[in-house]
Amino acid sequence: MIIVVRQDGSDKLKELESMLTSQGLEVHKVIGEEYTILGLVGDTRNLNVDVISANEIVYKILHVQEPYKRANSMFHPTPTSITVADREIGPGTFTVIAGPCSVESEEQIVTIAKKVKAAGATFLRGGAYKPRTSPYSFQGLGLEGLELLKIARQETGLPIVSEIMSTEMIDRFVEDVDIIQVGARNMQHFELLKELGKIRKPILLKKGLSATIEEWLMSAEYIMAGGNTEIILCERGIRTFEKYTRNTLDLSAIPIIKKRSHLPVVVDPSHATGLSYLVRPLARAALAVGADGVMIEVHNRPEQALCDGKQSIKPDDFDGIMEELKPMAGLMGRSL
Amino acid sequence: MIIVVRQDGSDKLKELESMLTSQGLEVHKVIGEEYTILGLVGDTRNLNVDVISANEIVYKILHVQEPYKRANSMFHPTPTSITVADREIGPGTFTVIAGPCSVESEEQIVTIAKKVKAAGATFLRGGAYKPRTSPYSFQGLGLEGLELLKIARQETGLPIVSEIMSTEMIDRFVEDVDIIQVGARNMQHFELLKELGKIRKPILLKKGLSATIEEWLMSAEYIMAGGNTEIILCERGIRTFEKYTRNTLDLSAIPIIKKRSHLPVVVDPSHATGLSYLVRPLARAALAVGADGVMIEVHNRPEQALCDGKQSIKPDDFDGIMEELKPMAGLMGRSL
Amino acid sequence: MIIVVRQDGSDKLKELESMLTSQGLEVHKVIGEEYTILGLVGDTRNLNVDVISANEIVYKILHVQEPYKRANSMFHPTPTSITVADREIGPGTFTVIAGPCSVESEEQIVTIAKKVKAAGATFLRGGAYKPRTSPYSFQGLGLEGLELLKIARQETGLPIVSEIMSTEMIDRFVEDVDIIQVGARNMQHFELLKELGKIRKPILLKKGLSATIEEWLMSAEYIMAGGNTEIILCERGIRTFEKYTRNTLDLSAIPIIKKRSHLPVVVDPSHATGLSYLVRPLARAALAVGADGVMIEVHNRPEQALCDGKQSIKPDDFDGIMEELKPMAGLMGRSL
Amino acid sequence: MIIVVRQDGSDKLKELESMLTSQGLEVHKVIGEEYTILGLVGDTRNLNVDVISANEIVYKILHVQEPYKRANSMFHPTPTSITVADREIGPGTFTVIAGPCSVESEEQIVTIAKKVKAAGATFLRGGAYKPRTSPYSFQGLGLEGLELLKIARQETGLPIVSEIMSTEMIDRFVEDVDIIQVGARNMQHFELLKELGKIRKPILLKKGLSATIEEWLMSAEYIMAGGNTEIILCERGIRTFEKYTRNTLDLSAIPIIKKRSHLPVVVDPSHATGLSYLVRPLARAALAVGADGVMIEVHNRPEQALCDGKQSIKPDDFDGIMEELKPMAGLMGRSL
């Protein structure tokens, strides 16, 4: 860490230096014309940056290292593969998670599950609880939705991914689902993250719609700090001024994650854009850019879906996407 | 609501029309050269927009009305005043909520409470639970913090405002605090909003850092739909590309809220900018733009604050702000 | 176009209606409970939207059609191919434009031109005039830079692409370069666009860093309205809150452009991200998402480049990118 | 400046150090566990940051000082006042620039000029050339507009402010107007800025809609570097995701400019929001936050304005705003 201090106030500077050395840090001082630079050597993790930056002689604090540790590739250079029900998620594979936005009925979820399995999907997604902007919109089937997902799993063998909404649901989700999804709006629901750190179940952590890549990795760090290290990151677009799409999918985030972290990362083109005709080209681009998988919304009757039908594709289109992805996965050195 | 449909597919159009009329709506059709426009008359609140927009002949759906009802000034033209411990929050008053980012000790919170009361603040704020980006940062004193806030209330008579983090804390917060704050990161924690709708305690609802004004009002609507109508909105900046400030305070939001809603709205310049020297000018601007109050971070020793010291001002500066606000409140027709 | 008017003020409504019909439009009225909807049939292109929206009884104006005409695929459904020096840019090909950020010397530009040609690039890029945030940064060699580009063209046969900065330079650019680039900061330099509409030379139009897709197409429309229809669009990232990358490359824009417009579109991953290690994965993603080409910064000695070395790749890396793109181009049905 | 380099590659580090010392800089080295920090003492202005950051051993470059010099309050601590036709713009005054978006006719501009003068405005604004998103929108009267502005100036004595669009217009603008406005879309039209640095006429420099405060000051620096130091900054909102307003007015920028720079700064609430009912509260907020003035769009018949009528207020409303601003200016220590 580097602390830039103003030239005036030498007493305050002495106080600051002795505080820093008392914490076991070496302080190297470079005296410039307008500012003095303090270069700190040692473990600065426990330093309270807020306290230091509030010091009136401090002009700027410059961070040399990334603030995440367990999620950081520097301390864990080998890419992590996560195994869920005998399926590997990570380098060498391309995971396809498919299914409807929300579970609506047994017939619906089982039909879709069979279709996406036949096309080659390896996980089934489906929402039992739905975060909706309006209190007047369909909120999901709740516990009944989880039961229906379990039936679909039994019928197809596909492990299931579903979104958790609050801490009270954790026990039930650990029991029922194979991967617990944390939605974009909950990426900084820190109480939830802490509790998920205590369990042993893979977490699919979506990027918040206004989160930076660093904040996203810090949210993974929250869960990992608790001991649960099986995190799959999921890019799903950020909020920008562009109006054609619901959000702007940031595919640059994938190679950045690959460089900065060891965690696997997948892409959700359906929620990112909100437009079904963009799913196919963006699924191809996700594979080409180096993602470990995609999550795609598939509904047998999009025009009757109880939520987000506009972004859902039909099973036939899903077949087409899978056909396009297969040869490209070969080029990328991934099995599909 | 207006539905724009493509010219082709007349069978599908008939189906759509009969679905709409079956829901008790009048459908008025305007046939253009490239598109047909359906103007709907009647209550469209229960219409599933997702279903309609997923229909392949539908090109666009255009909303005429705002989606919020209970928060909407159209259906409730008189501005709402909320009374908390004999203090009015709303038209004619200017509420000043002051206190530290987080409660650190009895001595700290009582000292600050006395100082801000002497300067004219009418509410005390203080965090017992703190949402922090890093799991390694100070997370607040928790329940002990609530106890210390109650001591400060007893010593000064100031009602207290504190942030809730998850649904399990609700009973305790109803018991202990006077206004329950929902933080920016939880603005769309819908399970929490639904539960807060069931209680009878005023809620201070901060705008999410990537929320639109409409989404913010929809979050108020969530709470109001449950029956709890005492909502105080709080503008605290949105995330933009600007780097000097932590967030960009959107003061235009205040007169917009005043036009679109009947709810009172206050401004938090401390969290919005993250820089203490901006608090004073922005507090003046908040009053001038028509806000019903401000929320200001005050710490007796900012350079030792356990969080966000950089944005805290000292009690002396707070006195100065209050002195500047008083004559300006007179011009604005508000008592302070 | 749809105009939503408030219920009150029937005289003003009559005035508005007669104004609209006097312009040759049919006005269809749908009277709702709170609003009246006017559906307009006919050519609304010459209607002054500003005048109408300023009318106090007007609540909202809703646009049914896109505002661009000549750039719109609705009126020109066949994708446009642009031929420059016997090279086709558009469907079926994948154009690779490569070269340094700025031209620095004859030795530099000729060396790089030879290398990128050997690797398979079909156009040479190089800046003679550079838009720099700081007046103290290197501003480009100017006219001398254009001369050196011409030498490199002669040596390699590669047509050249270079950025124009203001209207006075147009004659010289028409004379010297094969494709005139309009940079992101000039995307709404309307005087320049108007003048470029009068010439006959292909234009590479970069998206502005805060431009919507609609505004980008409207800037193409400015040039096309003048009669110059040979426009190649270039996506180069938009400004967001994310800090790891310089800008956020919006690859969703490519399939959107392909749906809304007939113009060819290429991607510039170098300027979008500002980081050389992101160029290769994003070039692959650009191809996979359906772009007609890429523009890549290549410098023989990035660590000595006079501008933007951090985002430049070396000729060897460029070879590697080309090797990866070739089989993928085959899958995408494009020749490289 | 601080350069953080990776631990490996000691030969490259030696090369870098000797390059830096050869430029007259002192290099202080702090060797950490994972990185080495180079603190530079001396004038780093001529250092090519691009070259250094492209060096493969360089991990990060951290800037201690702001990149602007002539616009920086550190080197020019006294606030600048600019005198135009005997009117002071700067500390102690509150400048009101009012008039229509575009000049439409002699009758229009003279009528409005007389009204705003009577209400207390001290400058007349009016567009002769208009930057419009669509080539099919009204583009302004051009030279005829300038002539009409001169007539209005003669009739009222109000100095005139008008927007320039390209370098060829400079001579004419120097001749005709009192303050040359550079619009938001031209804030980084660097060729224009360079040419404006060569003249002696005050410049009103609007902030670009996606410009950071630092980039805005760097654009001022471009003009000042050429020798023209009479710059008035104008905040007019930035592009964000919020949809109610055209742009988000950033009033925090005003006290930041006051701290970082010595230049006067005014606020344009009309263009920032695009909504006339927001002009009054935001004009009050601009005064309260410390701005040196406001620029307000006034039209005698907004519903017939040829551009931007929706954001224009009527002369009567303008009277009302001036009445509200007067006592508040007194509190702020400014004459109006």
Side-chain angles (χ1 to χ4, degrees):
Chain A
M1 197 156 73
I2 297 163
I3 303 173
V4 181
V5 297
R6 291 179 217 287
Q7 230 41 330
D8 45 0
S10 58
D11 286 354
K12 293 237 168 195
L13 178 54
K14 271 180 204 154
E15 270 176 47
L16 178 62
E17 285 183 74
S18 68
M19 184 275 273
L20 293 166
T21 49
S22 78
Q23 303 215 13
L25 297 165
E26 280 177 53
V27 181
H28 296 261
K29 208 158 38 170
V30 179
I31 300 172
E33 276 154 54
E34 286 141 15
Y35 297 102
T36 292
I37 294 164
L38 305 182
L40 308 187
V41 176
D43 185 355
T44 57
R45 246 184 299 176
N46 297 315
L47 221 50
N48 191 323
V49 174
D50 293 319
V51 168
I52 298 168
S53 69
N55 190 316
E56 59 193 315
I57 64 163
V58 171
Y59 174 62
K60 266 188 190 174
I61 293 185
L62 307 166
H63 295 275
V64 175
Q65 289 172 275
E66 310 298 334
Y68 38 90
K69 308 291 164 189
R70 287 173 177 81
N72 198 328
S73 61
M74 182 173 271
F75 308 114
H76 189 309
T78 315
T80 291
S81 249
I82 292 170
T83 308
V84 185
D86 294 328
R87 287 149 175 89
E88 294 269 312
I89 304 173
T93 68
F94 192 70
T95 299
V96 179
I97 306 166
C101 178
S102 61
V103 182
E104 296 168 19
S105 69
E106 183 176 330
E107 186 265 338
Q108 173 241 23
I109 190 71
V110 172
T111 305
I112 296 173
K114 286 179 178 169
K115 298 227 176 189
V116 299
K117 192 192 177 183
T122 44
F123 286 86
L124 175 67
R125 59 149 292 158
Y129 295 88
K130 300 302 308 171
R132 305 301 302 273
T133 306
S134 166
Y136 311 122
S137 298
F138 174 61
Q139 307 275 323
L141 292 182
L143 291 179
E144 191 198 332
L146 288 181
E147 290 307 317
L148 300 179
L149 279 170
K150 284 155 69 179
I151 294 171
R153 176 173 56 193
Q154 209 169 344
E155 298 270 331
T156 59
L158 292 177
I160 54 182
V161 184
S162 198
E163 180 174 349
I164 197 167
M165 296 275 288
S166 66
T167 47
E168 298 105 277
M169 303 176 183
I170 291 181
D171 289 348
R172 188 63 191 265
F173 271 71
V174 168
E175 186 78 19
D176 287 355
V177 311
D178 300 285
I179 297 178
I180 300 177
Q181 176 178 324
V182 175
R185 282 172 186 75
N186 281 320
M187 192 203 83
Q188 291 195 321
H189 180 181
F190 298 118
E191 295 301 306
L192 180 61
L193 301 180
K194 283 179 200 170
E195 293 303 315
L196 293 174
K198 296 175 187 163
I199 62 171
R200 290 299 165 269
K201 179 71 84 175
I203 307 295
L204 184 103
L205 179 65
K206 288 203 151 188
K207 185 160 78 173
L209 45 83
S210 68
T212 62
I213 293 172
E214 185 174 303
E215 287 169 345
W216 189 20
L217 287 171
M218 286 309 283
S219 286
E221 190 80 12
Y222 254 96
I223 303 171
M224 297 175 92
N228 185 359
T229 57
E230 303 215 308
I231 316 282
I232 302 144
L233 299 166
C234 179
E235 163 64 31
R236 45 79 67 219
I238 55 172
R239 183 156 268 185
T240 70
F241 56 80
E242 178 55 54
K243 292 171 190 170
Y244 263 119
T245 47
R246 182 196 288 159
N247 292 121
T248 298
L249 185 68
D250 180 11
L251 287 176
S252 327
I254 308 307
I256 291 171
I257 289 292
K258 289 289 166 198
K259 188 181 178 79
R260 299 283 177 206
S261 180
H262 54 92
L263 297 172
V265 58
V266 302
V267 169
D268 178 348
S270 307
H271 280 82
T273 63
L275 295 167
S276 59
Y277 79 90
L278 295 177
V279 172
R280 185 186 289 228
L282 288 171
R284 288 192 312 253
L287 171 54
V289 89
D292 297 302
V294 283
M295 179 142 119
I296 292 180
E297 244 178 68
V298 179
H299 197 285
N300 49 346
R301 286 188 289 271
E303 69 282 6
Q304 291 175 25
L306 292 179
C307 88
D308 283 343
K310 200 178 181 182
Q311 74 199 29
S312 293
I313 57 169
K314 293 182 185 174
D316 285 357
D317 293 323
F318 183 68
D319 289 351
I321 292 176
M322 293 302 288
E323 285 317 303
E324 282 192 12
L325 292 180
K326 275 167 199 167
M328 199 175 272
L331 288 183
M332 294 295 297
R334 291 181 182 271
S335 67
L336 182 68
Chain B
M1 196 154 75
I2 296 161
I3 304 173
V4 182
V5 298
R6 291 179 219 286
Q7 229 42 329
D8 43 1
S10 57
D11 285 353
K12 293 239 168 194
L13 179 54
K14 270 179 206 154
E15 270 176 47
L16 178 62
E17 284 182 75
S18 68
M19 185 274 274
L20 293 167
T21 49
S22 77
Q23 302 215 14
L25 295 165
E26 281 176 51
V27 181
H28 296 262
K29 206 157 42 169
V30 179
I31 299 171
E33 276 153 55
E34 287 140 15
Y35 297 103
T36 292
I37 293 163
L38 306 182
L40 309 187
V41 176
D43 186 355
T44 57
R45 247 182 299 176
N46 297 316
L47 221 49
N48 191 324
V49 174
D50 291 318
V51 169
I52 299 168
S53 69
N55 190 315
E56 59 193 316
I57 65 164
V58 171
Y59 174 63
K60 265 187 191 175
I61 294 185
L62 306 166
H63 295 274
V64 176
Q65 289 171 277
E66 311 297 334
Y68 37 89
K69 307 291 163 188
R70 288 173 178 81
N72 197 328
S73 59
M74 181 173 272
F75 309 113
H76 189 309
T78 316
T80 291
S81 248
I82 292 170
T83 307
V84 184
D86 294 330
R87 287 150 174 87
E88 295 269 313
I89 303 173
T93 67
F94 193 71
T95 298
V96 179
I97 305 166
C101 179
S102 61
V103 181
E104 296 168 18
S105 69
E106 183 177 330
E107 186 264 340
Q108 173 240 27
I109 190 69
V110 172
T111 305
I112 296 174
K114 286 181 175 167
K115 297 228 176 189
V116 299
K117 190 192 179 183
T122 45
F123 285 85
L124 176 66
R125 58 150 291 160
Y129 296 89
K130 300 302 307 172
R132 306 302 300 274
T133 305
S134 167
Y136 311 122
S137 298
F138 175 61
Q139 307 275 324
L141 293 181
L143 291 179
E144 190 198 333
L146 288 180
E147 290 307 317
L148 299 180
L149 279 169
K150 284 156 71 180
I151 294 172
R153 176 172 58 192
Q154 209 170 344
E155 297 270 330
T156 60
L158 291 177
I160 54 184
V161 184
S162 199
E163 180 173 349
I164 197 167
M165 297 274 288
S166 67
T167 47
E168 300 104 278
M169 302 176 183
I170 292 181
D171 289 349
R172 188 63 193 265
F173 270 72
V174 169
E175 187 78 18
D176 286 355
V177 312
D178 299 286
I179 298 177
I180 299 177
Q181 177 178 325
V182 175
R185 282 173 184 74
N186 281 321
M187 192 204 85
Q188 291 195 321
H189 180 181
F190 298 118
E191 295 301 305
L192 180 61
L193 301 179
K194 283 179 200 171
E195 293 303 315
L196 292 174
K198 297 175 186 163
I199 62 170
R200 292 298 167 269
K201 180 69 83 173
I203 307 296
L204 184 104
L205 180 65
K206 288 201 152 189
K207 186 161 77 173
L209 42 84
S210 68
T212 62
I213 292 171
E214 188 175 301
E215 288 170 341
W216 188 21
L217 287 171
M218 286 309 283
S219 285
E221 191 80 11
Y222 253 96
I223 303 172
M224 296 174 92
N228 185 359
T229 57
E230 304 216 307
I231 315 283
I232 303 145
L233 299 166
C234 179
E235 161 66 30
R236 48 77 69 217
I238 56 173
R239 182 157 269 185
T240 70
F241 56 80
E242 178 55 53
K243 292 171 188 168
Y244 263 118
T245 47
R246 181 197 288 161
N247 293 120
T248 298
L249 185 68
D250 180 11
L251 287 176
S252 327
I254 307 307
I256 291 171
I257 289 292
K258 289 290 169 198
K259 187 180 180 79
R260 298 282 177 207
S261 179
H262 54 92
L263 296 172
V265 58
V266 301
V267 170
D268 178 348
S270 307
H271 280 82
T273 63
L275 295 168
S276 59
Y277 80 90
L278 295 177
V279 173
R280 186 187 288 228
L282 288 171
R284 290 191 313 252
L287 172 53
V289 90
D292 297 303
V294 282
M295 180 141 118
I296 292 179
E297 243 179 68
V298 179
H299 197 285
N300 48 345
R301 286 187 291 270
E303 70 281 3
Q304 291 176 22
L306 291 180
C307 89
D308 283 344
K310 201 178 179 181
Q311 75 200 27
S312 293
I313 56 168
K314 294 183 186 174
D316 284 359
D317 293 322
F318 183 67
D319 290 351
I321 292 176
M322 294 301 287
E323 285 316 304
E324 281 191 13
L325 291 179
K326 276 168 198 166
M328 199 175 271
L331 288 183
M332 294 296 297
R334 292 180 181 270
S335 67
L336 181 68
Chain C
M1 197 156 72
I2 296 162
I3 304 173
V4 182
V5 298
R6 293 178 218 285
Q7 233 37 333
D8 44 1
S10 59
D11 285 354
K12 292 239 168 194
L13 178 55
K14 269 180 205 155
E15 269 175 48
L16 178 61
E17 283 182 75
S18 68
M19 185 274 275
L20 293 166
T21 50
S22 77
Q23 302 213 13
L25 296 165
E26 281 176 53
V27 181
H28 296 262
K29 207 157 41 170
V30 179
I31 300 173
E33 277 153 54
E34 287 142 13
Y35 297 103
T36 292
I37 293 164
L38 305 181
L40 309 186
V41 177
D43 184 356
T44 57
R45 243 182 303 175
N46 298 315
L47 221 48
N48 190 324
V49 174
D50 292 319
V51 168
I52 298 168
S53 69
N55 189 317
E56 57 193 317
I57 64 164
V58 171
Y59 174 61
K60 267 188 190 174
I61 294 184
L62 306 166
H63 295 275
V64 176
Q65 289 171 274
E66 311 297 334
Y68 38 89
K69 308 290 163 190
R70 287 173 178 81
N72 197 330
S73 59
M74 180 172 273
F75 308 113
H76 189 308
T78 315
T80 291
S81 250
I82 293 170
T83 307
V84 185
D86 294 330
R87 289 148 173 89
E88 293 270 312
I89 303 173
T93 66
F94 193 71
T95 299
V96 179
I97 306 166
C101 178
S102 61
V103 181
E104 296 169 17
S105 70
E106 183 177 331
E107 186 264 341
Q108 173 242 22
I109 191 69
V110 172
T111 304
I112 296 174
K114 286 180 176 168
K115 298 228 175 189
V116 299
K117 191 192 178 183
T122 45
F123 285 86
L124 175 67
R125 58 149 292 161
Y129 295 88
K130 300 301 309 172
R132 306 302 302 273
T133 305
S134 165
Y136 311 121
S137 299
F138 175 61
Q139 308 275 322
L141 292 181
L143 290 179
E144 192 198 331
L146 288 180
E147 290 307 317
L148 299 180
L149 280 169
K150 284 157 69 181
I151 294 171
R153 176 172 57 192
Q154 209 169 344
E155 298 270 330
T156 60
L158 292 177
I160 54 183
V161 184
S162 198
E163 179 174 350
I164 196 167
M165 297 275 287
S166 68
T167 46
E168 298 104 276
M169 302 175 183
I170 290 180
D171 289 349
R172 187 63 192 264
F173 271 71
V174 169
E175 187 79 19
D176 287 354
V177 311
D178 300 284
I179 299 178
I180 300 177
Q181 176 178 325
V182 175
R185 284 173 184 74
N186 280 322
M187 191 204 85
Q188 291 194 320
H189 181 180
F190 299 118
E191 294 302 305
L192 180 61
L193 302 180
K194 283 180 200 170
E195 293 302 314
L196 292 174
K198 297 176 187 162
I199 62 170
R200 291 299 166 272
K201 179 70 81 172
I203 307 295
L204 183 104
L205 180 65
K206 290 202 150 189
K207 186 160 77 172
L209 44 83
S210 67
T212 61
I213 292 171
E214 186 175 304
E215 288 170 342
W216 189 21
L217 286 170
M218 286 308 283
S219 285
E221 191 80 11
Y222 253 97
I223 302 171
M224 295 174 93
N228 185 359
T229 57
E230 305 215 307
I231 316 282
I232 303 144
L233 298 167
C234 179
E235 161 66 31
R236 47 78 69 218
I238 55 173
R239 183 156 268 185
T240 70
F241 57 80
E242 178 55 55
K243 293 170 189 169
Y244 263 118
T245 46
R246 182 196 288 161
N247 291 121
T248 297
L249 185 68
D250 180 12
L251 287 177
S252 328
I254 308 306
I256 291 172
I257 288 293
K258 289 288 168 199
K259 188 180 178 80
R260 301 281 176 207
S261 180
H262 54 91
L263 296 172
V265 57
V266 301
V267 170
D268 178 348
S270 308
H271 280 83
T273 63
L275 294 167
S276 60
Y277 79 91
L278 296 176
V279 172
R280 184 187 288 227
L282 289 171
R284 289 192 312 252
L287 171 54
V289 90
D292 297 303
V294 283
M295 179 142 119
I296 292 180
E297 243 178 69
V298 179
H299 198 285
N300 48 346
R301 287 188 290 270
E303 71 281 5
Q304 291 177 22
L306 292 179
C307 87
D308 284 342
K310 199 179 181 181
Q311 75 199 29
S312 293
I313 56 169
K314 293 183 187 173
D316 284 358
D317 294 322
F318 183 67
D319 289 351
I321 293 176
M322 293 302 287
E323 285 316 304
E324 283 192 11
L325 291 179
K326 275 168 199 166
M328 199 174 271
L331 289 183
M332 294 295 298
R334 291 179 180 273
S335 67
L336 182 67
Chain D
M1 197 155 75
I2 296 164
I3 304 173
V4 182
V5 297
R6 293 178 218 286
Q7 229 43 327
D8 44 0
S10 58
D11 286 354
K12 291 239 167 194
L13 178 55
K14 269 179 207 157
E15 269 176 48
L16 178 61
E17 284 183 75
S18 70
M19 185 274 274
L20 293 166
T21 49
S22 78
Q23 301 214 14
L25 296 165
E26 281 176 52
V27 181
H28 296 260
K29 208 160 37 171
V30 179
I31 299 172
E33 276 154 55
E34 287 141 15
Y35 296 103
T36 293
I37 294 162
L38 306 181
L40 309 187
V41 176
D43 185 356
T44 58
R45 245 182 301 175
N46 297 316
L47 221 49
N48 191 324
V49 174
D50 293 318
V51 168
I52 298 169
S53 69
N55 190 316
E56 58 193 316
I57 64 164
V58 171
Y59 175 62
K60 266 189 191 174
I61 294 184
L62 306 166
H63 295 275
V64 176
Q65 288 173 276
E66 310 298 335
Y68 37 90
K69 308 289 163 189
R70 288 174 177 81
N72 197 328
S73 60
M74 181 173 272
F75 308 113
H76 188 309
T78 315
T80 291
S81 249
I82 291 170
T83 306
V84 184
D86 294 330
R87 288 146 174 90
E88 294 270 312
I89 303 172
T93 67
F94 193 71
T95 299
V96 178
I97 305 166
C101 178
S102 62
V103 181
E104 296 168 18
S105 70
E106 181 176 333
E107 186 266 340
Q108 174 242 23
I109 190 67
V110 172
T111 304
I112 296 173
K114 286 180 176 168
K115 297 229 177 189
V116 300
K117 191 193 177 183
T122 45
F123 285 85
L124 176 67
R125 61 149 290 160
Y129 296 89
K130 300 302 308 172
R132 305 303 301 275
T133 305
S134 167
Y136 311 122
S137 298
F138 175 60
Q139 308 275 323
L141 293 181
L143 291 179
E144 191 197 332
L146 288 180
E147 290 306 317
L148 300 180
L149 279 169
K150 284 156 70 180
I151 294 172
R153 175 172 59 192
Q154 208 169 345
E155 297 271 329
T156 60
L158 292 178
I160 55 183
V161 184
S162 199
E163 179 174 349
I164 196 167
M165 296 276 286
S166 67
T167 47
E168 299 102 278
M169 302 175 183
I170 290 181
D171 289 349
R172 188 62 191 266
F173 271 71
V174 168
E175 186 80 17
D176 286 355
V177 313
D178 300 285
I179 298 178
I180 300 177
Q181 177 179 323
V182 174
R185 282 172 185 75
N186 282 321
M187 193 204 83
Q188 291 194 320
H189 181 181
F190 299 119
E191 294 301 305
L192 181 60
L193 301 180
K194 283 180 200 171
E195 293 303 315
L196 292 174
K198 296 176 186 163
I199 62 169
R200 292 297 167 272
K201 180 69 78 170
I203 307 295
L204 184 103
L205 180 65
K206 289 203 152 188
K207 185 160 76 173
L209 44 84
S210 67
T212 62
I213 292 172
E214 187 175 302
E215 287 170 344
W216 188 21
L217 287 171
M218 286 309 283
S219 286
E221 190 81 10
Y222 253 96
I223 304 171
M224 296 173 92
N228 185 359
T229 57
E230 304 216 307
I231 316 282
I232 302 144
L233 299 166
C234 180
E235 161 65 32
R236 48 78 67 219
I238 56 173
R239 181 156 270 185
T240 70
F241 58 79
E242 178 55 54
K243 292 171 189 168
Y244 263 119
T245 47
R246 181 195 291 160
N247 292 120
T248 298
L249 185 68
D250 180 11
L251 287 177
S252 327
I254 308 307
I256 291 171
I257 288 293
K258 288 291 168 197
K259 187 180 179 81
R260 298 283 175 205
S261 179
H262 53 92
L263 296 172
V265 58
V266 302
V267 170
D268 177 348
S270 307
H271 280 82
T273 64
L275 294 167
S276 60
Y277 79 91
L278 295 177
V279 172
R280 186 186 289 227
L282 287 172
R284 290 192 311 253
L287 172 53
V289 89
D292 297 305
V294 282
M295 180 141 118
I296 291 179
E297 244 178 68
V298 179
H299 197 286
N300 48 346
R301 287 187 291 270
E303 70 283 4
Q304 292 176 23
L306 292 179
C307 88
D308 284 343
K310 200 178 181 182
Q311 75 199 30
S312 292
I313 56 169
K314 293 183 186 173
D316 284 358
D317 293 322
F318 183 68
D319 289 351
I321 292 175
M322 293 301 287
E323 285 316 303
E324 283 192 11
L325 291 179
K326 276 168 197 164
M328 198 175 272
L331 288 183
M332 294 296 296
R334 291 180 181 273
S335 67
L336 184 68

